[in-house]
Amino acid sequence: MSKCTILRSAAAIALFAGSSVFAQPEGYMSNDDLASRLNQIATNDHASLSSIGTSLGGAPLHLLSLSEGEGERPAILIVAGIDAEYLVGTEVATRIAEELLEHHSSMLKDMTVYIVPRANPDGAARNMGKILSGHSGNARLVDEDRDRMLDEDHADDLNGDGIITMMRRLEPTLNETPSHLADPDDPRLNVKPDKSEGQRAVFTLYTEGLDNDGDGQINEDGFGAVDINMNFMHRWPEHDPHAGRYALSEPEAYALARFVLDHDDIVAAVTIGKHDNLINQPDAKKKDITSRSPLEIDAGDADLYKEAGAWFKDAVAFASAEKHDSAGSFHAWLYAQRGLPSFAVHAWARPDESESKGDREDKPAPKPEQADDEPQLTPSPVGDISMETLEELREAYTQMTGEEPDETMISQITPEMVEQFAAQLGIEVRRVKEQESPAAEMPESDKNKSNKKKLSEDAKWLKYFEEAGIEGFVDWQPLEHPTLGKVEIGGFIPGAKINPPASLLDELAEKHTDFVTRVIEAQADIEVLGPEIEEIGGGLYEVHIVLQNNGELSTTTSFSRTTRSVKPVIVRLSVPVDQVIRGQRVDRVWGIEGNGGRSAHTWLFRTVDINNETITIDDPRFGKQVIKLSGN
Amino acid sequence: MKKYTIKNSIVRLAGMAFVLGASTSAAIAQQQIPSKVDIAWNRFYDFDESEKIIKDLVKAYPELLTLRSLGKSEQGRDMWMVILNNPETGEDTEKPAMYIDGNVHGNEIQATETVLYSIWYLTKSYGEVDQLTELIDRTAFYFVPSINPDGRAEWFANPNTPHSARTGQRPTDNDYDGELDEDGYEDLDGDGHITQMWKFDPNGRWRRNKLDPRIIERVPEGEQGELTRLGSEGIDNDGDGRINEDGPGGYDMNRNWASDWQPNHVQYGAGDHPFDRPETKAVADFILTRPNIAAGQSYHNTGGMLLRGPGASYLENLYPRSDRQMYDKLGEAGEDLLPFYNYWVIHSDLYTVHGGFVNWLAEGLGIASFTNELWTNRRIMPDPDREFSDEERMHWQDRMLFGQTFTDYTEYDHPQHGKVLIGGGTKYSSRVTPPFMLEEGCHRNFAFTMFHASSMPELQFKWAGIKDMGDGLWELTVEVENTQIIPTRLAIASRNKIGFPDLLTLSGAEVLLSGQVDDRFDQTMRPIKDRPERMLIEDGIAGKSFSTFRFLIRGDEGKMIRLKYEADKARDIEMRIPLRERDADIN
């Protein structure tokens, strides 16, 4: 029943004992390297190293805590390495710790910084072995083709170069329809035929490997794992084989969730990895299936993400970022259910897509309408997939199965699933371009040649690899395959589009540190104004206090006032409740807006001696203070 | 394969009974089979008493029962599970099994007695009642009498309302004041129950009924009232001006399961994540090790309902038509066995539930599951089809229950509200079966659940035909039948890729092609060419139905071949036949 053969990459066992030139990305830290570097960092007085748990494979999930001095204070959480292939995130997160300690240690007096640099060490290890295969997920074994045999058909390094790439089957048999051809502009690339140009598909594509279990499929059940970023509660994609048996079934996801649930001091989080919600602003209109939680964010928090998005662009100068469905991800849960500002960022973007501030100002505003020659596409609830594509899929499904897909299926479908189905059915996925997304803008280099065909993403990568002298691509080489006959093996090296050369890491980390320090600087800062006490006579008093937020950001997200998952500040008056005429004896503050936002509290009460009365402000993040009232 | 027949084991058991001299005469056996453990079914058992009953039963019937603790509750009580299985007919994991629990809501107490009754009745019936003996020999049962031991203990031990102690007992800050469980109920009048408080208030909109002062009624427009409702019995313990706003616990373990789990702002009481309570985690961990569970029942109270999922309207279409038809067959049978019970769908007939237990069983694991809401007040009325007035209800309460579930209103000097009236229905009123009717309720629900259990899939090879195609090529066609109502794979499972597809394997000869065909006369098929000796059957075998499979085989005449059909939720079957022309039923 495996439908997704060619789409699933998988781990590999070498058939040839060829020595590998690429294997472990050069200059990147293995789990051991990371442990020693973190130990080194922890020699600093303001850093301590511990762990939040253990991976399925038994590796520690390291936690660096940075803070200076004693006392309660809020904290920022930085998490990287959830997505196994995104090794660069760990490199950057580790260096952020070093940067903060070296250059910004004064900030650590007011803010704790928690860093989990590699939340999925087992997954990372699988991307650093002898064979580079591109592997997401953890060490949980999944019978991906559900044939009651586990991981029996993995990828195989047929040409012995230590890398799992792609195979072009040059002479497909008659029961297999060719799907791709070599790009006439650059024959190294595979493209789908453009019928308007009279193109014709000539080969089919597979990942490099054999039909190890003789079921006619290639690599359909390799090292299948659970994707940690699909194992959290918000929009958990229940029946996806990579989502885990239940939300938080995976020890890595559980440890992260537990850490957050146990730490009321966390006021914001930055997740560095596969997901992005700052370059691509999150959707602030749509609701999830219950209609009581936002799909991505609540409208009340749109400004927060816009502001943080601007800080991030200023810091890193990325022009665009790939957007992935956030169903079941860590960062989506942090926002939608924990109510925290949760920023997801890529560690790196291809330089040609980066831009300086000056460039951006020169650019024309994005066109409000799509180009005339492109048909207008209708947005759908499924990411950026168009309604038109969903309709095509629905028809194809109905044809195939003889029944209409039900609404539940449609409501649970993710863009990744659409891509897989569409690939099997040979349907082109047409996407709605986000008007505000810089990704929709025309790249700088193409501005003057708008009549000429745009470079495809893959072509841009090849161009970049050549210019930067990076070995990111394996040229196609012929090989006789035992079941597919004549094939060519080659293509992009797994991870090459994700993890930049190690020489870039220090600079990248500096940029990310700029963003992190900006987030820290903007945090809420509460000042208590008052008390003002007015004696009315007869033992009656009116008392006012105001909690004022002098920071830029609100103390909590707007949506957390709905989730009530961030503990409120509790303001308590000592006067017995039956002597309070106005005001709540126990009052709760769910959030105070930034830039001078206030929470005002007034009580009118009777007391024998005002000097015995107090107001207690108990803030789970900033600590407790007791204000003694006194008469004139 | 371990050869197994029902007859064999009955004979063996009857033999044992004879040897032991424990045979009972037919006259006594008829519905009066003694159990080795005497249990009265006209009373309720607190957690400790129910624990003793469980242990006594397991001790008395060691050949059928195994005791196992799934873990500890929040307060350290054992989560007892009783596995009922006859090892003579195989391990429990080899058989289709039914999971049965109760009392996830601590106050829904008779759920536990219903589970205990089921164990008690089955064990005493083994070897005595043919239908149940056959059922026990072909299936296994996992019983958890209470999956909320702390809630049960609390409800019995302390004054409560009919609705309190629904929660588990993990201290929880329900009013967000930073304190845990600091303001619960108090039994102010010391009668052992938490009843209602009414404040004397000339402007109140309620008054006592003149004929029966136990009834408090709304005042008609324009008339003088005397009372204002204050809520349940208690005081303002934490001085915040509110009464009883943060009692013990304060969450709902039947909203803590993995399918369609939603956070607290969508689903009250859901917890921080699925299985974040030790009780639900313990149960889930066990269930995940038993893909052979084919049927599920979770007893609750109240209202007289047989409920199935889904719990939310947007999941309606998650239940494919063939599954709905199966549920209808079971549910309608239940309505017959349980007078005044309704077979209902949770979200459309009752209310929305996210993260419910039977929803997880059905939607997450593909198990045919029901929740029975035990007891309906209509059972005690002479004409259950008619709505009764409060006066009439009180009349029947008096005549039938001798007023035992009602505390008369008495005056009390309340620290915050001055003079108040305290009284009303006790914790045994409204939700709990009157003890004299308990046994009947247990038995009727047990009978339905046994029908449900007996509907779990059972496979057999029905017919096989072999044609000699010449030159050593043979065409083997085989019909595999499921004799029961529940399919080997629910459609919800095959559509959503839950569990494993069934697997039909042929060994002993070289298989060239294989495939499923419409019927034995079908000439064509869409053959599997790759690994054709292992045929994966995603849809399984439907209920009360059969499917037909064909193999093209190369081998010498007379060679024995072996066919094996494996399914998660049915007992595997296996047969050997020689390669030789045939067209005959399998017996």
Side-chain angles (χ1 to χ4, degrees):
Chain A
M1 292 306 292
S2 167
K3 289 179 171 176
C4 314
T5 316
I6 59 170
L7 288 154
R8 296 240 192 279
S9 62
I13 290 172
L15 289 187
F16 303 90
S19 71
S20 151
V21 267
F22 307 101
Q24 177 161 331
E26 207 176 321
Y28 277 67
M29 291 181 281
S30 68
N31 286 336
D32 286 346
D33 298 339
L34 177 66
S36 21
R37 186 138 171 191
L38 295 176
N39 273 304
Q40 180 58 40
I41 294 172
T43 58
N44 188 303
D45 287 347
H46 308 313
S48 69
L49 182 61
S50 56
S51 90
I52 60 166
T54 307
S55 74
L56 194 63
L61 307 173
H62 299 295
L63 167 72
L64 265 183
S65 307
L66 314 180
S67 69
E68 201 177 322
E70 301 291 313
E72 282 184 82
R73 74 199 74 178
I76 297 267
L77 172 67
I78 300 173
V79 177
I82 297 177
D83 313 293
E85 287 178 272
Y86 288 68
L87 300 168
V88 59
T90 299
E91 300 289 338
V92 167
T94 308
R95 286 168 174 82
I96 290 173
E98 292 166 342
E99 286 280 323
L100 289 174
L101 289 167
E102 195 170 334
H103 302 298
H104 306 279
S105 68
S106 63
M107 283 189 162
L108 303 174
K109 287 178 183 151
D110 299 321
M111 184 73 72
T112 302
V113 179
Y114 297 122
I115 301 182
V116 179
R118 183 168 276 169
N120 179 8
D122 300 343
R126 294 201 72 89
N127 284 288
M128 303 186 104
K130 278 190 180 146
I131 306 288
L132 201 54
S133 67
H135 170 80
S136 55
N138 65 354
R140 176 83 63 191
L141 300 179
V142 173
D143 182 357
E144 295 182 288
D145 61 346
R146 300 171 56 257
D147 67 349
R148 296 166 179 260
M149 299 198 283
L150 207 51
D151 290 357
E152 78 289 351
D153 193 353
H154 43 71
D156 309 279
D157 181 17
L158 300 179
N159 60 357
D161 62 358
I163 307 167
I164 300 301
T165 51
M166 299 295 287
M167 301 192 295
R168 290 169 166 175
R169 184 182 196 182
L170 299 177
E171 294 169 1
T173 49
L174 290 182
N175 63 3
E176 192 177 51
T177 312
S179 57
H180 288 77
L181 69 154
D183 187 342
D185 294 333
D186 185 339
R188 288 175 299 176
L189 299 177
N190 307 312
V191 289
K192 288 196 172 167
D194 181 348
K195 289 189 181 122
S196 67
E197 302 236 338
Q199 290 177 348
R200 181 183 290 202
V202 291
F203 53 78
T204 46
L205 283 172
Y206 293 87
T207 50
E208 187 177 346
L210 304 170
D211 177 11
N212 305 71
D213 59 347
D215 68 348
Q217 314 268 358
I218 290 180
N219 305 345
E220 83 288 353
D221 191 5
F223 189 85
V226 175
D227 184 341
I228 307 304
N229 246 339
M230 291 170 74
N231 195 227
F232 288 86
M233 283 72 82
H234 181 51
R235 298 172 57 233
W236 179 57
E238 172 160 11
H239 295 115
D240 187 297
H242 301 279
R245 294 207 71 180
Y246 51 88
L248 302 190
S249 61
E250 304 310 296
E252 298 87 355
Y254 182 80
L256 283 174
R258 207 58 258 166
F259 181 76
V260 171
L261 290 166
D262 292 342
H263 285 79
D264 294 331
D265 52 345
I266 298 172
V267 292
V270 178
T271 310
I272 309 173
K274 175 181 171 181
H275 290 283
D276 165 79
N277 65 7
L278 287 186
I279 299 290
N280 301 297
Q281 281 290 301
D283 182 283
K285 292 192 187 103
K286 291 182 197 143
K287 299 286 179 198
D288 77 351
I289 194 167
T290 67
S291 78
R292 292 167 70 185
S293 298
L295 189 78
E296 295 190 335
I297 63 163
D298 182 72
D301 291 313
D303 288 344
L304 164 71
Y305 279 81
K306 264 185 206 139
E307 203 167 357
W311 298 338
F312 185 66
K313 278 188 201 170
D314 274 350
V316 303
F318 296 168
S320 73
E322 202 181 339
K323 183 157 182 164
H324 299 274
D325 184 358
S326 64
S329 67
F330 177 59
H331 82 270
W333 170 71
L334 283 178
Y335 173 82
Q337 297 188 2
R338 294 318 301 160
L340 293 173
S342 170
F343 306 125
V345 298
H346 286 182
W348 177 61
R350 193 177 59 221
D352 64 66
E353 295 194 345
S354 304
E355 53 184 342
S356 69
K357 250 182 168 174
D359 288 348
R360 201 166 54 222
E361 278 157 14
D362 292 343
K363 274 200 167 175
K367 276 192 267 175
E369 300 282 327
Q370 280 175 307
D372 289 339
D373 54 346
E374 276 185 62
Q376 187 74 40
L377 297 173
T378 323
S380 79
V382 187
D384 60 350
I385 306 294
S386 66
M387 212 59 211
E388 284 75 9
T389 298
L390 288 188
E391 276 309 313
E392 279 185 68
L393 281 173
R394 183 203 287 268
E395 277 168 34
Y397 178 90
T398 311
Q399 252 179 3
M400 233 170 62
T401 62
E403 52 184 307
E404 285 273 326
D406 57 53
E407 288 307 314
T408 332
M409 288 174 68
I410 292 169
S411 62
Q412 291 186 340
I413 203 165
T414 64
E416 282 80 6
M417 286 156 72
V418 169
E419 282 160 23
Q420 288 177 9
F421 294 145
Q424 290 156 27
L425 300 167
I427 290 172
E428 185 204 354
V429 177
R430 290 186 289 163
R431 293 163 194 281
V432 180
K433 289 187 181 123
E434 295 241 0
Q435 299 296 342
E436 290 166 4
S437 160
E441 291 174 31
M442 205 174 277
E444 207 56 11
S445 55
D446 292 350
K447 252 187 4 186
N448 300 325
K449 38 180 176 173
S450 51
N451 288 335
K452 221 191 145 191
K453 206 171 143 192
K454 279 201 293 190
L455 279 185
S456 71
E457 270 300 294
D458 282 351
K460 285 182 195 167
W461 277 111
L462 280 183
K463 189 163 164 266
Y464 165 72
F465 289 149
E466 273 159 26
E467 285 168 5
I470 296 170
E471 282 183 287
F473 192 88
V474 177
D475 285 328
W476 299 95
Q477 307 155 336
L479 193 123
E480 190 65 27
H481 189 277
T483 55
L484 300 180
K486 265 194 185 146
V487 297
E488 284 180 350
I489 297 183
F492 287 98
I493 294 174
K497 295 177 183 175
I498 295 170
N499 301 308
S503 58
L504 300 179
L505 295 172
D506 288 343
E507 195 196 330
L508 265 180
E510 281 174 33
K511 291 178 176 178
H512 279 274
T513 307
D514 287 346
F515 171 64
V516 169
T517 54
R518 188 71 188 81
V519 173
I520 294 174
E521 279 166 9
Q523 282 306 317
D525 179 17
I526 303 298
E527 183 186 1
V528 179
L529 308 179
E532 282 175 7
I533 303 170
E534 187 189 341
E535 186 173 355
I536 291 169
L540 289 168
Y541 294 86
E542 188 168 72
V543 174
H544 303 271
I545 64 159
V546 164
L547 308 188
Q548 179 170 290
N549 179 2
N550 295 325
E552 287 173 73
L553 294 181
S554 167
T555 57
T556 58
T557 60
S558 167
F559 190 60
S560 75
R561 293 159 214 178
T562 299
T563 62
R564 299 205 154 184
S565 48
V566 174
K567 287 186 182 158
V569 179
I570 297 157
V571 182
R572 218 181 265 271
L573 178 71
S574 60
V575 179
V577 70
D578 56 0
Q579 295 182 46
V580 179
I581 294 162
R582 178 188 173 188
Q584 294 284 324
R585 183 174 184 254
V586 181
D587 213 355
R588 298 153 188 85
V589 181
W590 293 100
I592 308 174
E593 297 304 311
N595 297 315
R598 289 173 159 213
S599 172
H601 302 264
T602 300
W603 295 272
L604 214 166
F605 55 83
R606 188 170 187 193
T607 180
V608 178
D609 183 358
I610 184 80
N611 296 302
N612 283 340
E613 306 298 353
T614 57
I615 293 166
T616 308
I617 299 168
D618 196 348
D619 187 323
R621 291 147 164 207
F622 290 88
K624 189 169 179 170
Q625 54 174 306
V626 180
I627 298 167
K628 282 185 81 74
L629 303 181
S630 62
N632 296 323
Chain B
M1 181 189 86
K2 259 186 260 178
K3 189 75 184 163
Y4 130 87
T5 68
I6 292 162
K7 273 181 200 152
N8 280 352
S9 55
I10 297 172
V11 170
R12 194 164 43 239
L13 215 113
M16 268 166 58
F18 179 77
V19 170
L20 295 171
S23 77
T24 44
S25 77
I28 293 171
Q30 190 67 29
Q31 296 187 58
Q32 294 191 52
I33 306 149
S35 171
K36 293 181 198 167
V37 183
D38 282 330
I39 303 166
W41 297 111
N42 59 356
R43 56 154 298 190
F44 303 101
Y45 299 93
D46 70 14
F47 180 77
D48 293 339
E49 290 166 335
S50 67
E51 190 175 48
K52 183 174 184 304
I53 289 174
I54 292 167
K55 289 181 174 169
D56 288 349
L57 282 166
V58 171
K59 207 172 157 193
Y61 295 96
E63 67 281 7
L64 289 177
L65 301 183
T66 320
L67 182 63
R68 150 169 195 176
S69 174
L70 298 180
K72 298 277 187 186
S73 69
E74 186 70 34
Q75 295 180 335
R77 293 183 178 84
D78 274 297
M79 303 280 300
W80 291 120
M81 160 173 281
V82 176
I83 299 178
L84 190 156
N85 177 56
N86 178 10
E88 300 278 320
T89 60
E91 297 289 318
D92 63 287
T93 50
E94 296 170 21
K95 304 169 187 171
M98 181 158 193
Y99 172 89
I100 301 171
D101 77 19
N103 199 206
V104 62
H105 295 138
N107 61 322
E108 300 177 0
I109 56 163
Q110 71 267 43
T112 295
E113 280 74 22
T114 310
V115 179
L116 294 174
Y117 180 90
S118 307
I119 305 170
W120 177 79
Y121 204 99
L122 279 171
T123 45
K124 76 191 181 82
S125 303
Y126 189 80
E128 301 286 345
V129 181
D130 286 355
Q131 277 188 23
L132 294 175
T133 305
E134 284 172 29
L135 182 65
I136 289 169
D137 279 342
R138 84 167 183 92
T139 64
F141 290 91
Y142 305 120
F143 293 107
V144 187
S146 174
I147 72 167
N148 183 359
D150 299 346
R152 184 174 192 83
E154 157 63 28
W155 194 87
F156 278 93
N158 295 312
N160 270 293
T161 75
H163 316 290
S164 58
R166 173 182 173 92
T167 168
Q169 298 294 304
R170 179 186 294 182
T172 304
D173 181 9
N174 295 108
D175 61 341
Y176 301 97
D177 67 349
E179 294 177 36
L180 307 174
D181 294 1
E182 80 288 352
D183 193 351
Y185 302 117
E186 280 82 23
D187 179 19
L188 300 174
D189 62 359
D191 68 348
H193 297 281
I194 302 298
T195 54
Q196 296 296 305
M197 299 197 298
W198 299 84
K199 178 179 186 152
F200 287 101
D201 174 4
N203 298 316
R205 296 314 299 155
W206 299 81
R207 68 180 179 200
R208 301 183 81 171
N209 182 295
K210 294 215 162 44
L211 299 173
D212 187 344
R214 295 173 301 177
I215 295 168
I216 294 183
E217 63 192 12
R218 233 172 230 292
V219 180
E221 210 52 54
E223 289 182 38
Q224 175 81 43
E226 56 171 347
L227 296 169
T228 289
R229 179 194 287 274
L230 286 176
S232 295
E233 218 175 324
I235 57 167
D236 176 14
N237 305 70
D238 60 348
D240 67 348
R242 295 158 72 194
I243 293 176
N244 305 340
E245 81 286 354
D246 190 359
Y251 50 92
D252 188 339
M253 288 201 284
N254 200 31
R255 306 292 185 272
N256 192 232
W257 305 86
S259 289
D260 191 34
W261 182 90
Q262 296 294 341
N264 287 305
H265 75 272
V266 176
Q267 174 60 67
Y268 174 80
D272 287 330
H273 58 81
F275 310 140
D276 74 337
R277 311 290 141 162
E279 295 88 349
T280 54
K281 182 73 165 65
V283 169
D285 281 348
F286 173 79
I287 289 177
L288 287 170
T289 65
R290 291 294 192 281
N292 57 315
I293 296 175
Q297 167 63 251
S298 180
Y299 289 117
H300 286 231
N301 78 24
T302 183
M305 293 173 245
L306 305 122
L307 297 171
R308 71 154 169 94
S313 57
Y314 52 77
L315 296 176
E316 181 59 37
N317 290 327
L318 189 60
Y319 287 66
R321 188 192 307 161
S322 61
D323 287 357
R324 295 201 295 262
Q325 287 166 344
M326 172 207 73
Y327 278 113
D328 290 351
K329 273 185 202 164
L330 299 171
E332 282 156 18
E335 284 185 336
D336 284 347
L337 294 166
L338 288 156
F340 319 118
Y341 277 50
N342 295 309
Y343 158 55
W344 274 357
V345 175
I346 295 169
H347 81 88
S348 52
D349 298 316
L350 189 61
Y351 44 62
T352 298
V353 172
H354 303 285
F357 176 63
V358 290
N359 307 84
W360 180 57
L361 291 186
E363 296 149 27
L365 305 176
I367 297 168
S369 304
F370 285 94
T371 272
N372 282 14
E373 296 284 357
L374 303 169
W375 176 244
T376 161
N377 261 326
R378 295 157 59 162
R379 291 286 284 126
I380 207 167
M381 297 299 172
D383 180 1
D385 291 330
R386 193 164 69 79
E387 279 303 317
F388 276 74
S389 67
D390 283 348
E391 287 87 345
E392 284 172 310
R393 204 172 290 278
M394 209 50 89
H395 170 82
W396 281 101
Q397 286 272 337
D398 279 345
R399 295 282 169 90
M400 192 74 89
L401 304 175
F402 310 104
Q404 290 177 93
T405 61
F406 194 89
T407 310
D408 284 342
Y409 288 101
T410 51
E411 287 185 13
Y412 181 82
D413 194 20
H414 190 277
Q416 277 93 35
H417 292 287
K419 202 170 80 164
V420 298
L421 276 180
I422 295 178
T426 72
K427 66 182 177 184
Y428 284 99
S429 66
S430 77
R431 302 184 71 108
V432 177
T433 317
F436 79 95
M437 299 181 83
L438 178 64
E439 181 157 9
E440 181 184 346
C442 286
H443 190 85
R444 286 182 180 275
N445 279 280
F446 164 69
F448 163 65
T449 303
M450 289 306 108
F451 177 75
H452 186 179
S454 67
S455 301
M456 293 191 291
E458 184 175 24
L459 294 172
Q460 61 183 38
F461 289 109
K462 180 171 148 58
W463 171 90
I466 299 177
K467 280 187 211 162
D468 184 353
M469 313 286 281
D471 294 331
L473 185 68
W474 302 84
E475 182 195 86
L476 162 68
T477 307
V478 62
E479 292 172 354
V480 180
E481 182 177 28
N482 174 7
T483 57
Q484 305 299 335
I485 290 172
I486 300 175
T488 60
R489 284 179 61 66
L490 262 57
I492 197 173
S494 52
R495 277 201 191 173
N496 296 290
K497 310 266 191 284
I498 299 167
F500 290 113
D502 293 353
L503 175 65
L504 177 58
T505 318
L506 190 152
S507 53
E510 184 194 0
V511 181
L512 302 175
L513 294 173
S514 65
Q516 190 162 351
V517 290
D518 286 347
D519 56 53
R520 63 174 86 162
F521 308 107
D522 197 356
Q523 292 294 315
T524 60
M525 63 175 180
R526 291 179 68 179
I528 302 161
K529 287 191 295 183
D530 299 297
R531 229 166 43 180
E533 70 283 359
R534 291 181 96 246
M535 208 188 297
L536 289 166
I537 300 136
E538 184 69 81
D539 293 341
I541 314 284
K544 299 267 184 199
S545 179
F546 64 92
S547 296
T548 313
F549 305 96
R550 183 165 295 155
F551 294 86
L552 289 174
I553 310 164
R554 192 148 51 194
D556 296 331
E557 177 156 15
K559 186 156 194 314
M560 285 302 280
I561 56 167
R562 191 181 78 136
L563 279 168
K564 184 173 189 188
Y565 193 98
E566 294 168 66
D568 282 351
K569 301 198 186 307
R571 199 175 179 118
D572 299 343
I573 52 169
E574 191 175 312
M575 71 169 178
R576 285 163 197 278
I577 44 172
L579 269 186
R580 188 167 291 133
E581 283 262 0
R582 64 169 278 153
D583 176 355
D585 288 343
I586 313 281
N587 37 38

